[in-house]
Amino acid sequence: MKAIEVKKLSKTFKSKTKEKGLKGSIKAIFKPKYQEKKAVNKISFEVEKGEILAFIGPNGAGKSTTIKMLTGILFPTSGEISVLGINPHKERKKLAYKIGTVFGQKEQLWIHLTPYDNFKFFGAIYDIPEKIVERRIEEYKQIFELDEFINTPVRGLSLGQRMICEIVASLIHEPDILFLDEPTIGLDPVIKEKIRVFIKRLNKEKKTTIFLTSHDVGDIEKLCKRVIIVNNGHIVLDDSMENLKYHYLNKKIVEAKMNTKINLDDVDGISILKDKDYNLKLEVDLTKKSISDAIKLLDPDKIIDINISNTPLETIISNIYKETKE
Amino acid sequence: MLTAVKNNFKIMFLSIKYNLMRCMENNVAFMTSIIMMIFNNASFIIQWLTIFALKETVGSYTLNDVMLFWAVSSGSFGLAHILFNGIHKLPDYIEEGKLDAYLTMPKNVLCYVATSSLEPSAFGDLIYGYLALIIFNFSIKNILLYTLLIILGSLIFTSFAVILNSITFFIFRFSYVTEALKEVFLNGCLYPDVIFKRAVKIIFFTLIPSAFASWIPVHLLMNFSLNKFLILIIFTIFIIILAFIVFYRGLKNYSSSNLMGIRG
C-alpha cells in the first residue's frame, strides 16, 4: 500500500522585486513589480508504506516546500497529494494524528519547560491517555538515555539533546509516517549516529515510513534504500541507492605510495588528482580504462602500498546537482 | 465534535498555564511589570480629575462614569493579552514562517496560536480595571456583570486583532498599519462616546468596533438593558466567526520560510 502519492505537484511563490538602493525602494511603492518562482514544478512520486526515502537536493531545490505541502503546512498551487489516503490541505488535523514532523531548523518545544513536561504537552495535543504517554516517555527514556536531562528546561540543553527531544516529541503519538527535514543539522557524529540507529530501529520494529531530507550524505547512505533527487523544482533522479551507486560508480580512486619518484601525465581515462613526493592519487574512468591499466602505468615493481576505493557518495550527488543545473 | 472542542480547550488551558509558568520564571520582573502597568494606567486619572475640576460633567458623564470606560477598556485589554496575546505576534509568525509548528498539530491553529503567548504586564491592566470599578462604581452586581462584559470585550478585541493581523497573509509588512489601527481601537474604547462626532461614532460601531468592546458594556453597567446585551452577544459571535473566516482564508496564502528559529 502507498503511504504517499503525489501527482504533478506544483507550488509557485510570488515575490516583490525592487531595484537597488533607496531609490528602488521608493519606486517599488508606486510601481511594484512581482516575480513568480516555481519552487516545485509538476513533480510526481510514490512512497511505499515502511519505506525509508531520502528526498535530497541543493539549497532552494524545493525539498522543504514539498515536505510542507505533504504535511499540510502549505497549500499547493496545483497537483494532487495523498498521504495515507488523506488530502493534507483539506484534512490537515486528521492527517496530523498520523504523521510526525521534525524540522531541524525550527524548534517545536517550549524552551522554558523540561523535556518531560513537553512530552506530556504533546501527549495532550494528540489526545493520548496519560498512562500511555507515561509508558512511551519511559520507553524513549531508555532508548535515548534521557535520564540525565529529562528534567532540565529545554533552554539548558545542548543542540543534540534538543534534537533528540524534538524527535521523541514528534513520536509520542506513534505516527505512521515520520517527516524529517534535516534532522542532523549541526549535530556531532555521536549524536548523529544515535539518531540514525534509532530511525532504523523505528522503521524496522514499528514499520514507520521515513521521509528524510538531509544534506548529510551519511544519513542518506546509512538509512535510505531509495533516493529522490530534486533540483530547481524538478525530480532529476528517482532510484534505489544500489542503482545510484552502480550507475554512477564508474570511477575509482587509486592511491599509491611509491618507492621512487615517477613522473606521470594524464592519459585518456586516467587523471592524476595528486602527485606529491612518493604519493600518487589517480582517478580511473572504468568505461575507458581498467584498474590493471592504472597499476601498469604506475609500474607494479615500484608500488609499496596501494588503496583502491569508490568515488564518495557525496561527490556523486554533488556531480548530479551540477549536471542537472547545467 | 464535542470531544474535539473539549480537547481544544484543554490545550488552550495548558498553553496559558505554561505561559504563566514562563512569566513566573523571573518573579521580580513579573511583579514589577504588573505594578508599573497599574501606575501607568492610574496616571491618566489625573488628566480626568483636572477636566472634572473645571467642569462638572462631560456630556452627561460624571467622573465615576468616565472611570467605567477605563475599567472596561483596561479589563478587556488586559484579559485579551493574558489569554490570547499570541494573536499580536501573528504578523511575525506569518512573516518568519513560525506557523509551521502550529500547523503540524491536530488542533485548531487559531486557538493554539492565540494562547501561545502571554503578556505579563496585562495582569496590571486587568487588576487596574477591577480597582477602577471597585473604587468608583462598587457593587456585587457590577463586579459580576463587569466580569462577563470584559470576557466579551476581550473576545471582540482579539477577533478584531485577528482580522487586522491576518492581512499580513496578503500584504507583507502590514503590521505597522495594524498596530496603528489597534491603537485607534483602544483610544475609541478609553474615551466616552459623547465626545465623538456622528461620523466617528459610525466608524467605531462598524470598521473599528470599539463601541462594542467599551461603550455598550459601559451603558450596560450604568443601566442594564436586555436588548443591548443581546446585541452585544450577537456582535461578539459575529466578529469571532468573521475572524475565523479571514484567518483561514489568509492561511491559504501562508508561504512559510526557512528562517532558523526557536519557539519563544
Side-chain angles (χ1 to χ4, degrees), chain A residues 4 6 8-13 38-43 45 55 62-83 86-90 92 95 99 103 179 211 233, chain B residues 100 254 256:
Chain A
I4 301 170
V6 171
K8 292 184 176 173
L9 182 67
S10 295
K11 179 73 188 175
T12 306
F13 290 108
K38 280 205 165 180
V40 175
N41 197 355
K42 289 181 183 169
I43 61 167
F45 64 90
F55 194 76
K63 307 182 296 293
S64 295
T65 305
T66 305
I67 233 179
K68 283 172 185 172
M69 286 192 280
L70 294 177
T71 50
I73 292 173
L74 290 179
F75 278 70
T77 308
S78 63
E80 289 171 35
I81 311 172
S82 169
V83 180
I86 298 167
N87 184 331
H89 61 275
K90 283 190 179 155
R92 183 189 59 78
L95 178 66
I99 60 167
F103 293 102
F179 289 93
F211 191 99
Chain B
D100 293 8
Y254 177 60
S256 186

Side-chain angles (χ1 to χ4, degrees), chain A residues 68 74 92 106 112 125 155, chain B residues 18 100 103 107 256-257:
Chain A
K68 283 172 185 172
L74 290 179
R92 183 189 59 78
K106 285 177 187 172
H112 67 289
I125 278 188
R155 72 157 58 91
Chain B
Y18 289 152
D100 293 8
L103 283 163
K107 289 287 171 278
S256 186
S257 88

Side-chain angles (χ1 to χ4, degrees), chain A residues 225-239:
Chain A
K225 287 192 176 149
R226 184 179 153 211
V227 59
I228 291 180
I229 300 180
V230 281
N231 204 358
N232 295 321
H234 295 277
I235 290 179
V236 294
L237 188 133
D238 180 353
D239 212 339

Side-chain angles (χ1 to χ4, degrees), chain B residues 22 44 56 59 70 76 78 80 84 96 120 126 140 143 147 167 172 174 180 183 192 201 223 228 230 255-256:
Chain B
R22 173 164 44 194
F44 288 93
E56 243 177 66
W70 274 86
S76 301
F84 312 118
E96 291 167 21
L126 185 63
I140 297 294
I143 289 178
T147 305
I167 298 173
F172 201 64
F174 195 73
E183 279 294 313
K201 276 185 184 171
N223 188 12
K228 279 187 184 170
L230 285 176
S255 57
S256 186

Side-chain angles (χ1 to χ4, degrees), chain A residues 149-287:
Chain A
F149 57 86
I150 196 161
N151 291 316
T152 308
V154 172
R155 72 157 58 91
L157 303 184
S158 69
L159 187 63
Q161 289 169 332
R162 280 186 190 197
M163 189 48 69
I164 286 174
C165 292
E166 287 280 343
I167 293 175
V168 172
S170 70
L171 290 172
I172 212 82
H173 58 300
E174 298 202 328
D176 293 331
I177 305 179
L178 182 61
F179 289 93
L180 298 161
D181 192 1
E182 298 183 38
T184 56
I185 193 165
L187 303 182
D188 70 53
V190 179
I191 301 283
K192 272 185 188 176
E193 195 51 32
K194 210 178 202 180
I195 289 174
R196 285 171 190 156
V197 168
F198 174 70
I199 292 171
K200 243 186 170 165
R201 187 174 157 187
L202 184 75
N203 172 261
K204 199 176 170 191
E205 289 176 10
K206 304 204 171 170
K207 308 283 175 229
T208 309
T209 309
I210 310 288
F211 191 99
L212 169 80
T213 77
S214 179
H215 286 296
D216 191 314
V217 176
D219 289 346
I220 301 158
E221 202 167 15
K222 288 180 182 168
L223 289 171
C224 306
K225 287 192 176 149
R226 184 179 153 211
V227 59
I228 291 180
I229 300 180
V230 281
N231 204 358
N232 295 321
H234 295 277
I235 290 179
V236 294
L237 188 133
D238 180 353
D239 212 339
S240 68
M241 187 61 77
E242 216 170 87
N243 276 348
L244 174 75
K245 285 184 176 174
Y246 180 78
H247 290 299
Y248 285 86
L249 285 185
N250 48 17
K251 284 180 181 168
K252 293 266 181 190
I253 304 293
V254 176
E255 289 171 284
K257 190 172 185 181
M258 316 300 291
N259 59 13
T260 176
K261 176 93 177 131
I262 59 164
N263 292 317
L264 286 178
D265 290 319
D266 280 355
V267 291
D268 189 30
I270 300 175
S271 45
I272 298 152
L273 300 177
K274 196 172 116 184
D275 182 358
K276 196 180 174 193
D277 303 330
Y278 300 115
N279 297 306
L280 278 161
K281 192 175 178 183
L282 314 175
E283 188 182 69
V284 185
D285 186 342
L286 297 176
T287 59

Side-chain angles (χ1 to χ4, degrees), chain A residues 25-64:
Chain A
S25 298
I26 295 167
K27 210 173 160 187
I29 293 175
F30 301 101
K31 236 183 171 183
K33 284 181 187 166
Y34 296 92
Q35 70 169 20
E36 285 197 342
K37 188 184 183 299
K38 280 205 165 180
V40 175
N41 197 355
K42 289 181 183 169
I43 61 167
S44 301
F45 64 90
E46 290 175 347
V47 182
E48 294 291 331
K49 271 193 175 173
E51 207 178 339
I52 305 185
L53 171 81
F55 194 76
I56 60 170
N59 289 329
K63 307 182 296 293
S64 295

